[in-house]
Each structure stands twice: as structure tokens, then as C-alpha cells.
Amino acid sequence: MAQGKTGSSSPPGGPPKPGSQLDSMLGSLQSDLNKLGVATVAKGVCGACKKPIAGQVVTAMGKTWHPEHFVCTHCQEEIGSRNFFERDGQPYCEKDYHSLFSPRCYYCNGPILDKVVTALDRTWHPEHFFCAQCGAFFGPEGFHEKDGKAYCRKDYFDMFAPKCGGCARAILENYISALNTLWHPECFVCRECFTPFINGSFFEHDGQPYCEVHYHERRGSLCSGCQKPITGRCITAMAKKFHPEHFVCAFCLKQLNKGTFKEQNDKPYCQNCFLKLFC
């Protein structure tokens, strides 16, 4: 009977399991401490091993843990007093949590730990969200998107906005559409004298707009006598063009016919005046 009270003999059926033997030892220790007047009330049940906690305890996530059992779910390293994150009821060390679950920067692919910029359906570190052309950070005016890339206002319009047919600079606001291109309103003027067109009426030559006078000058259809456009009948003489009524003798001012004049010093004369003056 004495031997049966010691609890040292093996139970029938084989040796005790290590876990049950440890529990028996802890129970004996607790009993002995109680006899000595030392309180051994458990501080809780470990959230990992489900065993009572009699020594140091970690309280986290609404549970208690043996310090050695409160570990990162991913790397299994003891968390201790370090910062940790909870996800789906599981603890993660700071490094693994950011590596596994934090949003990634589209530029560097690194985890975003603090501030985040969300743009173009992607996430970015604030210091990595800049103009794809010049690298400048975006100011209060924001950015413009083209083919999935962000550009500052200047570079976007320089690269992608339609260009003015007059000054070749980007058109940002109002424009005039003419001659199969676009123009700043202030640039749609005669290409020779830069005069604005009255009532929008202009003449085209080689794809450029001109006023009536300079259009005919370019085409060689200005009267050499009055310097006005020739729109009807025309006389060509001395490699020039004239209104019929303006092809006159340089001396007597009588109207000449194309085949009945004399030329002297690049001027036309009637037969009589030519004889009087030069013969």
C-alpha cells in the first residue's frame, strides 16, 4: 500500500507519457508550495499550449501566453516586447506583417509602411510618385495621365496636347480650327503682315492663311499699277500683271494695249510719247 501512494510506479499498460509526467510533476510542486503557504494560483491559460501559466505571462489579443509561446505566426520567432500586428486572430512580427500584407509601391515594389499615395489604380510611396518625364513632384495642380503614366501639367501638354499651326506651342484652352490644323486665336493671322482676319475671312496659300493683299502678292496676282488684287481681267506685260485700266503710258497716262507699247527703264510708253522722249 505504501508503494501505491508514492505515484512513482508506472501505471498498468506501459510508461507514462512525457506530457502527463510533466503535469504530475507540476501538480506535486503546486501541492508542496501550497503546504508551505505559497500561493500558486495560475495566471491564466496559455493561448498556444492551453496549459496553466504560473510564471511570467504575456497578455495580448485578449489572451494570455507563455512568453516563449507568443511567437510570430510566419517566422515563429518570439515576439517578446516588440511591436506586433494582428491579422485574422494571429500575431505577426512587424517585419513579416509588412512583407506579407502591406500595400506595395508600384515604383520600387517595397512595402509601404506609413503614408501612401493611391493613384492610377496603384499604390506608391509619396516620394516615388512623380512626373514620368521630368521627375518633379506634383503640386496643387495635380497630374495628368497618359498610357498609365503620370505627368506634370507642363510636360503633359508639351508632349501630348495639339500644337498651334502658328507658333507650334501647345494649345491649352481656346483654339481656332482651320486649314486642317488648330491655332491659338491670337496666332491665326496673316502670315505676312500679322493682321487679324475681319469676320474670319482669309485666303490660303501653301497651307498658310493670308489677307487678300498678301495672298495675291504670293500668287503674283497684284496689279503693278494700283497694288491691289486682280480678280477679273488681267494684262501681263514686262513680267508683271495689271488691271487693263491700269496698264497706261507712264507719261501721258493713256490706256495701252498689250502689243502696242514701248518699254524703257521698266516702264511702258505709248508710241508717240516714246518717240518724243527717247528718240
Side-chain angles (χ1 to χ4, degrees):
M1 291 178 63
Q3 291 177 349
K5 291 180 179 180
T6 61
S8 58
S9 59
S10 299
K17 295 181 179 179
S20 62
Q21 187 176 10
L22 177 59
D23 291 342
S24 177
M25 293 173 63
L26 289 173
S28 298
L29 177 60
Q30 185 176 19
S31 176
D32 292 342
L33 291 173
N34 286 336
K35 290 177 181 179
L36 295 174
V38 179
T40 58
V41 178
K43 298 178 181 179
V45 176
C46 178
C49 69
K50 309 303 180 185
K51 300 292 178 64
I53 303 172
Q56 290 184 334
V57 62
V58 172
T59 302
M61 299 166 37
K63 300 178 182 179
T64 53
W65 314 74
H66 291 113
E68 65 273 16
H69 291 163
F70 188 58
V71 298
C72 172
T73 303
H74 184 72
C75 68
Q76 299 300 310
E77 290 186 7
E78 186 175 331
I79 294 176
S81 60
R82 293 180 297 161
N83 292 334
F84 72 97
F85 291 85
E86 178 184 359
R87 186 179 178 90
D88 298 330
Q90 299 294 325
Y92 292 85
C93 68
E94 198 168 8
K95 176 179 177 293
D96 286 336
Y97 180 86
H98 287 305
S99 177
L100 293 169
F101 306 116
S102 289
R104 295 273 171 173
C105 175
Y106 182 76
Y107 179 79
C108 69
N109 199 40
I112 300 174
L113 311 184
D114 192 6
K115 294 181 181 180
V116 59
V117 172
T118 301
L120 307 177
D121 296 325
R122 303 181 180 114
T123 52
W124 317 70
H125 289 114
E127 64 272 19
H128 289 162
F129 187 59
F130 44 73
C131 174
Q133 178 66 16
C134 69
F137 293 108
F138 303 116
E141 72 276 6
F143 67 91
H144 296 265
E145 181 270 340
K146 177 72 174 179
D147 298 331
K149 295 181 179 180
Y151 296 88
C152 66
R153 177 182 174 86
K154 179 183 181 301
D155 285 333
Y156 176 83
F157 285 112
D158 284 348
M159 296 173 68
F160 307 114
K163 303 301 187 294
C164 173
C167 67
R169 295 195 303 269
I171 296 176
L172 308 184
E173 296 179 354
N174 297 334
Y175 63 88
I176 291 174
S177 178
L179 303 176
N180 297 319
T181 190
L182 303 180
W183 311 74
H184 293 115
E186 64 273 16
C187 293
F188 191 62
V189 294
C190 173
R191 303 304 292 166
E192 186 69 27
C193 65
F194 305 106
T195 302
F197 302 114
I198 300 174
N199 299 324
S201 178
F202 65 94
F203 293 81
E204 182 268 337
H205 180 68
D206 291 338
Q208 297 294 321
Y210 292 90
C211 65
E212 185 177 17
V213 171
H214 288 109
Y215 166 77
H216 286 284
E217 182 181 68
R218 289 276 175 157
R219 291 175 57 87
S221 54
L222 281 182
C223 174
S224 292
C226 67
Q227 300 303 313
K228 292 183 178 180
I230 302 173
T231 56
R233 291 178 58 208
C234 172
I235 289 180
T236 301
M238 304 183 303
K240 301 176 183 178
K241 293 181 180 179
F242 300 83
H243 290 112
E245 63 272 22
H246 293 155
F247 185 54
V248 296
C249 173
F251 186 75
C252 69
L253 302 181
K254 290 182 179 180
Q255 185 172 339
L256 300 172
N257 291 321
K258 180 179 178 182
T260 60
F261 72 94
K262 297 289 186 178
E263 179 183 352
Q264 183 71 25
N265 299 325
D266 201 29
K267 294 181 180 180
Y269 294 90
C270 65
Q271 184 77 14
N272 292 334
C273 291
F274 181 82
L275 293 175
K276 289 177 182 180
L277 296 171
F278 305 109
C279 295

